[in-house]
Amino acid sequence: MYLICFGPDHHYYVLLIKVIGILLIFSGFLGSIAVIVFGAMGDSRAWMPDWQNNYLSWSFALAVVGVVCEYVAGILFLVEGRVQGRKRKLRESHSAYTMETKA
């Protein structure tokens, strides 16, 4: 979706990629807190109703995998933002010097 609105030639493309990466890492941090709290307090009698049937199963494992994937995606977006920023800076520095031939 962001490629439709902000292509690589758009002025805010690099900023958008970096903001997406930061938001993904932040949501991964919040997801980590949620997974840790549920893992630590899932068996507590006072914290969750019907505690006899609460156990960590495949859904908890998918939550852990999802949080790890959020961190990986955030880091990859930040790396891509850095690469695109360097490409843009290199392109702008080369466009300042034009090759003209004297006839």
Side-chain angles (χ1 to χ4, degrees):
M1 180 66 184
Y2 70 93
L3 282 176
I4 295 172
C5 298
F6 295 99
D9 297 329
H10 196 273
H11 182 68
Y12 293 112
Y13 180 68
V14 176
L15 177 67
L16 178 68
I17 290 177
K18 289 182 181 179
V19 166
I20 290 173
I22 290 169
L23 288 175
L24 280 171
I25 289 177
F26 181 69
S27 67
F29 174 71
L30 294 178
S32 298
I33 292 172
V35 165
I36 290 170
V37 166
F38 185 77
M41 307 208 39
D43 292 334
S44 175
R45 292 180 185 220
W47 191 66
M48 295 217 15
D50 198 20
W51 62 272
Q52 300 92 348
N53 298 325
N54 291 335
Y55 55 93
L56 303 179
S57 65
W58 59 271
S59 60
F60 182 76
L62 285 179
V64 172
V65 169
V67 166
V68 170
C69 288
E70 270 188 313
Y71 280 123
V72 170
I75 290 170
L76 288 176
F77 265 102
L78 290 177
V79 168
E80 182 66 21
R82 185 173 177 168
V83 167
Q84 292 296 327
R86 286 187 177 182
K87 280 184 181 178
R88 177 171 288 173
K89 193 178 291 186
L90 186 65
R91 198 176 330 129
E92 288 172 358
S93 69
H94 285 310
S95 66
Y97 303 109
T98 57
M99 304 265 308
E100 296 179 10
T101 59
K102 292 185 178 181

